Amino acid sequence: MFFSIDGGDGTGKTTQVARFSEWLRARGDDVVTCRDPGSTPLGEAVRELLLRRHDLRIDRTSEMLLYMAARAQLVEEVIRPSLEVGKTVVSDRYLLANVIYQGYGGGLDVATLWSLGEVATGGLMPDLTVVLDVPAEAAAARLQEELDRME
């Protein structure tokens, strides 16, 4: 089985991925967790580029293609091989994030994003996607708490 947990920043995705994975393991499932982008050397490099390099201007199309490249690598190195040997995969974000952020939020064509996503993933989609939603104020407060802890 392949699960994706999605939602905006500060909604608790990482926490819920960990809790859900623990629950699945307690049931006896062999679980692999991953994050998108990330979980491969290429994915982590793309993650660093997209999320930390504020000095670098990246237009929406380039940004979307970088996410798709990281996801393609994630599918080929982690997700597909894990599923092929019967493991359960739980991903912190997946293709839906691109559709929401670069499509609905960034103005790129949503149908094109789904099509490119199909190419990047080889058509591999989660069996279930859970979308977490919290009030914007609560998400902002959580993000600020994380920043305060880091500093």
Side-chain angles (χ1 to χ4, degrees), residues 1-5 13-26 29-41 44 47 73-75 77-83 85-94:
M1 294 288 295
F2 175 24
F3 299 95
S4 168
I5 298 183
K13 292 178 304 302
T14 302
T15 300
Q16 293 309 315
V17 164
R19 288 181 177 170
F20 182 52
S21 297
E22 288 171 18
W23 180 80
L24 289 167
R25 286 184 185 104
D29 290 339
D30 189 356
V31 179
V32 173
T33 60
C34 56
R35 65 182 185 174
D36 183 3
S39 300
T40 68
E44 291 300 327
R47 182 180 192 85
Q73 196 75 21
L74 177 63
V75 167
E77 280 189 30
V78 177
I79 298 174
R80 193 176 307 280
S82 297
L83 293 172
V85 296
K87 295 181 181 184
T88 299
V89 176
V90 181
S91 183
D92 185 335
R93 289 204 168 127
Y94 198 62

Side-chain angles (χ1 to χ4, degrees), residues 46-134:
V46 169
R47 182 180 192 85
E48 178 71 23
L49 180 69
L50 290 169
L51 304 180
R52 310 251 188 285
R53 290 287 310 271
H54 302 291
D55 62 319
L56 186 61
R57 187 180 109 48
I58 304 173
D59 72 35
R60 288 279 184 212
T61 301
S62 297
E63 177 184 66
M64 176 270 300
L65 290 169
L66 286 166
Y67 277 112
M68 292 293 182
R71 185 170 302 112
Q73 196 75 21
L74 177 63
V75 167
E76 291 309 311
E77 280 189 30
V78 177
I79 298 174
R80 193 176 307 280
S82 297
L83 293 172
E84 286 173 351
V85 296
K87 295 181 181 184
T88 299
V89 176
V90 181
S91 183
D92 185 335
R93 289 204 168 127
Y94 198 62
L95 179 57
L96 182 62
N98 271 123
V99 173
I100 299 301
Y101 283 104
Q102 282 82 38
Y104 292 107
L108 297 181
D109 182 67
V110 170
T112 300
L113 290 170
W114 283 117
S115 294
L116 289 171
E118 187 169 338
V119 171
T121 64
L124 182 62
M125 294 299 289
D127 295 296
L128 177 68
T129 297
V130 176
V131 179
L132 302 178
D133 186 27
V134 300

